[in-house]
Amino acid sequence: DAGVTQSPTHLIKTRGQQVTLRCSPKSGHDTVSWYQQALGQGPQFIFQYYEEEERQRGNFPDRFSGHQFPNYSSELNVNALLLGDSALYLCASSLVLRGARTDTQYFGPGTRLTVL
Amino acid sequence: GENVEQHPSTLSVQEGDSAVIKCTYSDSASNYFPWYKQELGKGPQLIIDIRSNVGEKKDQRIAVTLNKTAKHFSLHITETQPEDSAVYFCAARVYSTLTFGKGTMLLVSP
């Protein structure tokens, strides 16, 4: 049973560039949430996708956008990168069961983004 | 929005001792409280969780307690082992989003 996978594992960009990160949810899961984890901090919620739509959004600017595909995989896009965007970006998947969102979120290994 | 405070930030114990990590939350609508363990270079791994209709839950050496009135919950690890060394995060869920504490680095010395 494949867990949550993310690609790439590491990425180096320069200020002003754009980046796309990818996530495949755990088998059988249909909901994907994205988190940003700065060094020494807990993960911070960016947004959540279900049925190819953004359902919830945290306190992040519009430079952060996402997409979910029919196979439930997801992308996180960040435009106009700032130095402060350097962080570990985590994807978590969960399941909507009989119309109700289940509690448990399973995390992937993350993508380490460095902005120079 | 929800705010989660976690203490201590660092905890050092000897192998075999118990470890306790405490968290408080602000939003009384929070109804689900997971704990995650994160090892260096890895994503957070769920180790135990508790829902708001339960006061205590145990899984082998790990237990979690919840006091809804006081809005705090705690993680208890007994008979600690060196492989328990990691960063532990508590979280609280309101609607479908998780708010995390800042983490506790647990160091278990042999």
Side-chain angles (χ1 to χ4, degrees), chain B residues 38-42 86:
Chain B
Q38 188 172 27
E39 297 174 321
L40 200 61
K42 297 184 178 180

Side-chain angles (χ1 to χ4, degrees), chain B residues 54-89:
Chain B
V54 176
E56 185 173 356
K57 183 177 178 180
K58 188 173 182 180
D59 182 5
Q60 299 183 341
R61 297 186 296 109
I62 296 175
V64 59
T65 59
L66 171 65
N67 183 326
K68 284 174 56 180
T69 303
K71 293 183 189 170
H72 67 72
F73 55 114
S74 300
L75 177 71
H76 305 253
I77 305 175
T78 58
E79 301 172 21
T80 54
Q81 301 166 3
E83 51 266 38
D84 293 330
S85 296
V87 178
Y88 290 80
F89 291 97

Side-chain angles (χ1 to χ4, degrees), chain A residues 8 14 16 37 40 50 55 66 68 74 79 88 98 101-102 107 110 112:
Chain A
T14 56
Q37 186 177 23
Y50 171 64
R55 301 291 178 169
Q68 186 178 34
S74 176
N79 294 322
L88 180 68
R98 292 187 291 274
R101 193 154 287 118
T102 56
F107 282 83
R112 173 71 62 188

Side-chain angles (χ1 to χ4, degrees), chain B residues 18-50:
Chain B
S18 294
V20 180
I21 302 171
K22 298 182 178 182
C23 290
T24 60
Y25 61 99
S26 61
D27 194 330
S28 56
S30 290
N31 57 8
Y32 172 69
F33 306 91
W35 286 87
Y36 287 87
K37 174 184 180 182
Q38 188 172 27
E39 297 174 321
L40 200 61
K42 297 184 178 180
Q45 176 191 7
L46 179 71
I47 56 172
I48 196 167
D49 56 12
I50 192 167

